[in-house]
Amino acid sequence: MVPLEEEGNYLYLQQDLMDRQIIDIHGRKVVRVNDVELEWMGRGAAHLLRVAEVEVGLRGAFRRVFKGLLPRATLESISRKLERMGFPGSLWT
């Protein structure tokens, strides 16, 4: 692993995004982030990890609160029954 450069423009998920309020690019919707879906972009030697979606509903909050307390299969089974409320990363980045 290569250490981060201090002058980079980085987003630290736990510190800067989780449980924070975000506003969409139109300045209209303020929501609290409960969970984040990431995706790998790029090919070959250039790999980038980007935020694909932020979860703002009960589903993400449930997963976050009970992670580590319930078995993973149980957690996923219950969370799939809850409504998904998320925003693509392109709406707020």
Side-chain angles (χ1 to χ4, degrees):
M1 293 187 83
V2 179
L4 296 175
E5 298 174 13
E6 288 193 32
E7 295 180 19
N9 189 9
Y10 300 105
L11 177 69
Y12 298 96
L13 293 179
Q14 182 64 36
Q15 172 184 320
D16 297 332
L17 190 58
M18 296 301 291
D19 203 30
R20 302 284 184 181
Q21 290 185 342
I22 60 172
I23 302 170
D24 71 9
I25 60 173
H26 305 293
R28 292 180 288 185
K29 185 84 171 171
V30 177
V31 293
R32 186 169 301 277
V33 176
N34 292 318
D35 202 359
V36 178
E37 182 179 324
L38 303 172
E39 71 179 345
W40 285 105
M41 305 290 292
R43 295 191 179 117
H47 291 285
L48 301 171
L49 189 60
R50 79 173 192 97
V51 175
E53 182 178 84
V54 292
E55 172 70 42
V56 298
L58 182 59
R59 183 180 192 172
F62 178 82
R63 278 197 312 261
R64 192 161 162 223
V65 168
F66 290 101
K67 183 178 180 181
L69 298 175
L70 294 175
R72 185 177 182 154
T74 303
L75 184 66
E76 289 302 317
S77 175
I78 294 170
S79 69
R80 272 190 234 111
K81 296 174 185 175
L82 300 171
E83 182 181 359
R84 185 178 192 154
M85 291 181 59
F87 293 100
S90 61
L91 276 182
W92 60 271
T93 55

